[in-house]
Amino acid sequence: MRRIFYAIALCFGTVMAAQAQELQTILQTHADEIAKPSRKTVNVALEDLVASGLPTVPGFLEAWVEKSVWQRGDGQFFIGAVEDDQINLRDVDSGAESTADKSDFKQLKPNGGVRRVIGTALVQFQLSDDNLTRRTTAVASIARRPAADQLAPLLASVEGEPDPALKARKIQLANFLSARFADNPEDRITAINSLAKDTSVEARSVLNQILQNSSGVAPSEPEGNIARILDPMQAPDAYYAELVEAGFAPARTGPAVIRAALEANIVDGRVGNIPLAQLGTDAARERAYAALAKEGLAPPLVTTQTRDHALGEYVFYDLYDEPNAEITAAAEAALSSVEQRVAFAQAADLALDGLSLASIYFLAAIGLAITFGVMGVINMAHGEFIMMGAYTGYVVQTFIPDYTVSILVALPLAFAITFGAGVTMERLVIRHLYHRPLETLLATFGISIALQQLAKNIFGTQARPLTSPDWLDGAWVISDVIAISYIRIAIFVLALLFLALILFVLKRTRLGLEVRAVTQNPGMAASMGINPDRINMLTFGLGSGIAGIAGVAIGLYAKVTSEMGADYIVQSFMTVVVGGVGNVWGTLAGASMIGFLQKGIEWLNPSNTLAAQTYMILFIILFIQFRPKGIVALKGRAAAD
Amino acid sequence: MTLKFSSYVTAAILGSAAMAAADCADPVKVGVLHSLSGTMAISETTLKDTMLMLIEKQNAAGGVLGCQIEAVVVDPASDWPLFAEKARELLTVHDVDVIFGNWTSVSRKSVLPVIEELNGLLFYPVQYEGEESSKNVFYTGAAPNQQAIPAVDYFLEELGVEKFALLGTDYVYPRTTNNILEQYLKDKGIAADDIFVNYTPFGHSDWATIVGDVVALGEDGKQVGVISTINGDANIGFYKELAAADISADDIPVVAFSVGEEELSGLDTSNLVGHLAAWNYFQSADTPANTEFIDAWKAFAGEERVTNDPMEAHYIGFNMWVNAATEAGTTDVDAVRAAMYGQEFPNLTGGTAVMLPNHHLAKPVLIGEITADGQFDIISQTKEVPGDAWTDFLPDSAKLVSDWKELGCGMFNTETETCVQLTSNY
Amino acid sequence: MRKSFLSENPSVLWFIAALGLFTLMVTLLSEATGAGLISTSFVKTLGKTLCLCLIAIAMDVVWGYCGILSLGHFAFFGIGGYAIGMWLMYARTEGIVLESLAGQTIPPTPQEISDAIGNQIFGVVGSSEFPMIWAFADSLFLQLLMVVLVPGLLALVFGWLAFRSRVTGVYLSILTQAMTLALSLYLFQNDSGLRGNNGLSGLQNIPGFEGTPQSTIAIVFFLISAAALGAGYVFFAWIVSGKMGSVIKGIRDNEARVRFLGYHVESYKLFVFTITAVISGIAGALYYPQAGIINPGEIAPIASIYLAVWVAIGGRGRLYGAVIGAAFVSLLSSWFTGGGAPDINLGFYTIQWTDWWLVLLGVSFVAVTLLFPKGIGGLFDYLVRKQP
């Protein structure tokens, strides 16, 4: 009995061994393709591997994608993981584990293109796997490289899919695939029609793929599913070039061609009987060329007239790759309906971007709305308070590794630090200069220079990382067109909170009342028992503290450098001035106007963001000339200088 | 070490580093023209330290021509006109034999007229836009055909990218590189509609719209790829937005030409794994020479410091200069220049760099994928590619060649067989 | 009138004498014409400093005398530099191109010449088209006219709009700063046609003087700059004296009262703003051929603020104060950032002045504003008055 058992085990073992031998053997026959794979050549090896039907193949392929396949000096492949100078190896078939010195092994690093091809090969093993991650990977692989032969297995796997989200995704993907690859034209048209409301990039790509066409030129209208006939006179030179390329017409005689022909035909210092010295103008050169053409020494000049004549002789057309006209018509209809929706969505997205930019400007400027807008103090170091807040966030993160906790610590700490800095600055510098606003500007500028350089000396000029917590990663995706990152939403919410906070403080608290009293008439306020010094100090501190919190937020979404404050200072002042000094609502209006305006100009000229900024500033300069008090102008006595 | 280092720098900055051996009649002086303050300080200070390290090592090995090398360090403070002034000072007041320096193109253009007037010698270590060849400059960084073109080839061949977004900061390097790439892509059969170009200002931070535009490029089902010539800090906002939009390298790969180990240190790279960069050198290159170089650098400058591509360029350039001067038996500029042609020196990444008669190097091109620990995983390494001063892909410059050895001209028009000019076009 | 102008400004004669002596001394010690004790690069530094002194006086007149804190005068300085730079680049490149085209069998057409020049100048920034603003670049006279006209017109239009709307005080400062920012952002674009970030370079090579050594060119520019500074000083001293000077100072001290007295305040302000802009343009046109390169970074808002810093430290409301401030701070600045200042070793930390200079500048600037509003010039006055 026991013997039999042993025999069976032995038998089984040898079978296993034989099989094990096999995967390494297949790998060895394709050693070159596997060690140095390329997107275009790796398929041969993959087909052999998949065809072998070995159970170890999927595991090997997955390891390969993850860059954990290693090749030994003698060419043998292993799955391995590095630990210091050692490498923990696993045999590709038996799974036997061993350890070896790293130096003898070379890691295989398939590039992104190869990984994608391997991913496609893995689909068949993963599509109905028990592991959800594997199934998701498989579906993603199909989405990346859709092919006709994936439709059937995908459809087959939909039924048994336990995960509802993935199931919906599979159905959607199957729909995309059938629009392109289904055998029956009616199925395709049904699928295409169902895409008419889908604004996702994938759906549009399916429709665009169906509508792929190529342009061509022929003496007469060709056979096939013609998309459109083109009018060559729209861009005659470009179409003529096409004609030349197709070999239907002689090339245009440009200045370079004329020149070359003239140079080739110099006889006794003359060309076409015109002395060389006179050939310094285009007219003379054309005359000389005409003379050469007459003698047959050069091909005749192609004039505009001959060009137009030639264009009239031929048909220029776009031809669909898809032969079935019904399908392309359905796709065209679906696409135009989608594009309308996309246009709306784009407008919405642009508005969202504008809103987000406006809230960033508002956040950067809101501290100024207090110090400059309410108190009338020009603080050029405001940007540096933003920077201090951001660096506070960075420093806190170096001490507290948990991002959520560190942000929660950083926000109040940034407020405290910049509040302190603001109060110090007010006590030491600004209070001596309340009656000399221009001097305040210069003195705070000196502070700004000093703080900026100080930050460089302490933290270096290299940008520092300030990483947002996980729950702020990613974006709120409404559709493929409309999306906004969570961090921007957070900034928007923060801006709203501050707006509410400041309005509350100014309008509903004792402090706010005193602040307004002191700014309107310090003497009178003092005689009512308010201490203007204390109020000024606190107000300035509040404005600076808010700048610090804004700094943390801005650092989270962009970068933390010593110059980040300088990037915002001019814009912030303009936000306050455009909005109207002395009014928090005005700052909001100013930020909205600048934010939306900038996005609008960017949309008009998408390839050059710098131009958008330039024109926006010019617009603001003009705007202030015509409305010097800003959008929300104060009226009555408070408005007096 | 740190104490010694800082006192050494102090002495060097004073311009009176009395390191020259007493028995050497005519001390060998090497000028170091890198910004130590201002916006470029972060990048350029590293190169100054690299030079000091290389010189120290060379002096320990006996210097050059029997003389100890004296480093003359000046600070052009990221101020472009000051570069010209300091270069003149180095050449006329300090009488240096050779200058290693500059980072930005504009600073190089500022220095060019001065060193050409005074017949100086400059080694320029940074990847640049090409379209230039000065008699007095050796370009040890990459020309476009040694970085941009191979990277685009990788996109076309290996990743199968069919639609390109060329994103850049609005200055000369991205403009010229993108012009070359646009033409190159058109030659490769990519339609003009499939190339999206965008320029943003230095330090740009509002990337949401642009990233959205890039995603929208995929609407016709073609594989989209991004070629980024975005410079410096602006990259941080860009990569953060990419990560927020959840764009993986498998969907839309991004290859960057100005992002190296230094730039990644300002970022959390865990969301960017798989995005690419193209350089002639990565710190992760696994060769004995590189390990030795990194160890020496960390011992010299600090354990946390990283190495990067321009550092390797200075390493090759300095060693070639030492060898050329030894071969010529003098540090005289014209003699050294003649001896430079054909100089060979092993790269840190394997293979051998060769100095060509057009003053550019032949170097291998490496493509690396960003890893979670802020380094690059090298996944492709070409053979040595000879640097081309004048690109073959723009009609106006395709007819130009540079050959200082045979033709004695850096801007030779092959159609008319004439030398356009002997000075360079600054 | 003339007699009273000089008697009102005794500093003019002193200044001219001091400038003359200084110029003579530098000339005699320079490499080109004398002992060679002053290197060419230092002569260039001194020449550039003189140009900075000239724009500082202009700034002093507009701010110290008229009370308009303009943060835009360096923009006018830059425009002057660009205007002259365009001719310098064009003419130098034209020379090179004509020489290389002369070797061809067929004489070049005007179009070919223009293309070749465009390719040389703009090939660097990936373009070869000649933008519109280069239309006059081939004529030295017209470009010199632009040096004066463009800053003048820009100041006139901007000032007219701003003063008409009664934008004053800090609002005007912020507005002028916005103008500077817009201009520098515009120039940073490659599409501006002025070579974007690269700017115009090789300006120290003066077309027509290819054979002349830089040492001679440097000293010639130094002398021209000195002459311009002298003339500018006398001119501004004249402007700020007499009745007009009184009105201008009156506007600074109380604009409303001057208006009530019947003066057309806006016209005076516009005149001062425009004329100082023109002088700034001229200063720029003299500065950049000595610097060798101009690019948008030069025009960044920070430069104009430094200008205000110089004038404030030198002492507002006195022309020599501006000169002292500009010369003192800019030379000190290059001494500190150039590594000239010895480092201070505190044992636990070494203060390297390349890093700490800006901190020192910022702090001393605050100190001057708070404690010595009259600047170094004020100290001067104090000493002079002390004497019997």
Side-chain angles (χ1 to χ4, degrees), chain A residues 506-638:
Chain A
L506 284 181
K507 300 265 156 93
R508 290 275 184 275
T509 62
R510 176 81 194 169
L511 177 68
L513 187 71
E514 292 181 354
V515 167
R516 281 181 293 147
V518 170
T519 43
Q520 279 180 18
N521 193 330
M524 189 73 89
S527 64
M528 300 299 285
I530 300 170
N531 180 357
D533 268 9
R534 188 180 140 266
I535 293 300
N536 278 333
M537 188 178 83
L538 285 181
T539 321
F540 198 83
L542 180 69
S544 311
I546 288 179
I549 297 188
V552 178
I554 290 172
L556 279 179
Y557 116 96
K559 61 193 169 170
V560 185
T561 68
S562 58
E563 276 150 18
M564 64 181 288
D567 292 349
Y568 288 96
I569 188 73
V570 179
Q571 244 104 348
S572 299
F573 268 106
M574 294 217 267
T575 307
V576 177
V577 172
V578 162
V581 176
N583 193 322
V584 181
W585 290 109
T587 308
L588 184 66
S592 313
M593 189 178 101
I594 294 181
F596 283 103
L597 199 71
Q598 179 155 343
K599 281 294 153 190
I601 302 174
E602 260 175 41
W603 178 72
L604 292 175
N605 184 5
S607 67
N608 193 337
T609 317
L610 201 53
Q613 290 187 0
T614 315
Y615 296 134
M616 197 214 29
I617 295 173
L618 283 181
F619 176 83
I620 292 175
I621 293 176
L622 280 177
F623 181 86
I624 293 176
Q625 311 283 8
F626 291 103
R627 218 184 144 88
K629 297 271 180 231
I631 303 173
V632 185
L634 288 185
K635 295 196 180 69
R637 297 192 62 166

Side-chain angles (χ1 to χ4, degrees), chain C residues 12-287:
Chain C
V12 172
L13 292 177
W14 281 110
F15 179 77
I16 297 294
L19 183 67
L21 196 69
F22 170 71
T23 315
L24 190 71
M25 215 174 69
V26 172
T27 315
L28 288 180
L29 292 177
S30 76
E31 279 178 24
T33 46
L37 286 176
I38 300 181
S39 70
T40 301
S41 57
F42 196 61
V43 170
K44 279 177 185 264
T45 309
L46 291 176
K48 286 190 286 183
T49 309
L50 292 179
C51 297
L52 295 179
C53 291
L54 181 57
I55 186 181
I57 315 179
M59 181 69 188
D60 194 17
V61 170
V62 79
W63 179 32
Y65 284 89
C66 196
I68 307 170
L69 175 53
S70 162
L71 296 180
H73 268 59
F74 230 87
F76 303 128
F77 188 81
I79 293 174
Y82 265 102
I84 196 69
M86 282 158 78
W87 175 76
L88 286 169
M89 276 214 88
Y90 186 92
R92 178 169 54 87
T93 316
E94 189 182 32
I96 292 168
V97 164
L98 286 182
E99 200 180 309
S100 96
L101 288 182
Q104 298 186 357
T105 43
I106 301 180
T109 64
Q111 187 59 42
E112 280 176 336
I113 295 176
S114 153
D115 282 351
I117 298 175
N119 198 29
Q120 280 270 16
I121 295 181
F122 301 108
V124 175
V125 290
S127 158
S128 60
E129 300 260 315
F130 249 107
M132 278 290 288
I133 32 174
W134 286 72
F136 306 120
D138 55 342
S139 153
L140 175 60
F141 173 73
L142 287 177
Q143 283 301 135
L144 283 177
L145 210 60
M146 304 258 269
V147 168
V148 179
L149 279 186
V150 178
L153 277 177
L154 183 62
L156 196 68
V157 172
F158 184 88
W160 182 74
L161 281 169
F163 300 139
R164 189 193 60 106
S165 320
R166 301 264 169 98
V167 179
T168 53
V170 288
Y171 296 94
L172 189 74
S173 305
I174 293 171
L175 215 58
T176 48
Q177 192 177 26
M179 177 196 80
T180 317
L181 183 65
L183 185 72
S184 85
L185 284 181
Y186 173 75
L187 289 171
F188 258 120
Q189 294 172 48
N190 249 48
D191 300 342
S192 68
L194 288 164
R195 311 212 315 169
N197 178 56
N198 254 33
L200 310 177
S201 52
L203 306 185
Q204 66 269 63
N205 298 353
I206 312 299
F209 296 91
E210 281 84 0
T212 319
Q214 279 294 326
S215 51
T216 313
I217 290 178
I219 202 75
V220 168
F221 265 98
F222 172 77
L223 292 175
I224 298 175
S225 306
L229 177 61
Y233 196 93
V234 173
F235 175 72
F236 280 127
W238 175 71
I239 295 251
V240 298
S241 60
K243 192 175 139 198
M244 180 150 86
S246 305
V247 176
I248 291 173
K249 279 178 264 185
I251 293 174
R252 171 189 67 190
D253 295 333
N254 194 325
E255 194 175 320
R257 282 190 201 171
V258 176
R259 189 175 285 122
F260 294 151
L261 286 173
Y263 290 100
H264 197 251
V265 170
E266 281 69 36
S267 307
Y268 279 95
K269 281 165 91 173
L270 194 55
F271 172 73
V272 172
F273 193 67
T274 309
I275 198 75
T276 51
V278 169
I279 301 288
S280 303
I282 295 173
L286 285 172
Y287 180 92

